Amino acid sequence: MGAMKCRAWIALLVAGVLTEGCATASLASCNPADSTLSCCVKQHPLSPVDSCGASEAEALAVLTILKTAYEASRLAEDVEDGLAQLPEWKQVCIRNYVDCKNQGWKGGCYDCLRYCEGQHEWPFRACSPDRRK
Amino acid sequence: MVEDLEGDWHQLRMLDNRAQQEGTVALDEPLRGLLRRSGPSLAMTTAEIEAGLRTPEGATALLHRMRQRITEGSRRIGDALHRMYRLRDEGDLDGARQQMRDVLAVEVVPYYRELAEGQLADLD
């Protein structure tokens, strides 16, 4: 168990390793609340359909819940401390992603996060605050 | 797709990335077209653009300056928005507005200016 699977899981869910380590390995392990399916997907995040017999929709649903849980842990009060270990450009991508989600920016926040990861800058034409009025 | 929404700016990023790695960029017709087309969106004057298009070295430098405006503007507005939200949530609307005014004081890229103006208007 442990480090390798945790790393693979995070690599998948955080789209190409936005974090350098596995500070919260517990997110990758099964707990009593997990269904058989979600436990299986946690254990085989790179092959949820093949290994778990899940449909793509089921796999996506479980991975989305896991991703949200991971992101929520980053949104906790001490998120600034957690982010401080990352290179600044990664911190900026994550910060913009959090604002995109929390402030309801127009555009696909997660797609923009992936783009930011590749280009090291947030694509404001694709994802930006909308007008309220 | 994000690349489609970013349009010419995405092309500028890709070309500048390559130019930074290879030291230069091929001054061909597609590049001329891209630089001429996207210049106004980055507040570059026609004179500036045409001067840059005389040589490959000039084009490489122009491309880099244009990319820098995209990158710096992205950083600037993102930082300002984040601070604005925090100040707004703390009830400091004047402070929140000042974040957008600070952007408008220095930003030349029309798209980023419009973002700042829109958020400023929404704070009223």
Side-chain angles (χ1 to χ4, degrees), chain A residues 18-74:
Chain A
L18 277 175
T19 179
E20 310 294 2
C22 284
T24 49
S26 58
L27 281 177
S29 54
C30 299
N31 59 60
D34 279 315
S35 68
T36 306
L37 178 63
S38 67
C39 177
C40 184
V41 173
K42 280 180 178 177
Q43 310 227 345
H44 305 277
L46 301 185
S47 59
V49 173
D50 305 277
S51 302
C52 306
S55 68
E56 286 207 59
E58 287 170 325
L60 179 61
V62 175
L63 290 176
T64 299
I65 290 169
L66 296 179
K67 179 176 72 73
T68 302
Y70 179 80
E71 288 166 355
S73 76
R74 308 296 290 171

Side-chain angles (χ1 to χ4, degrees), chain A residues 9-10 15 19 33 56 67 74 99 104 113 122 127 129:
Chain A
W9 176 81
I10 288 187
T19 179
E56 286 207 59
K67 179 176 72 73
R74 308 296 290 171
D99 282 343
L113 178 64
W122 187 265
C127 290

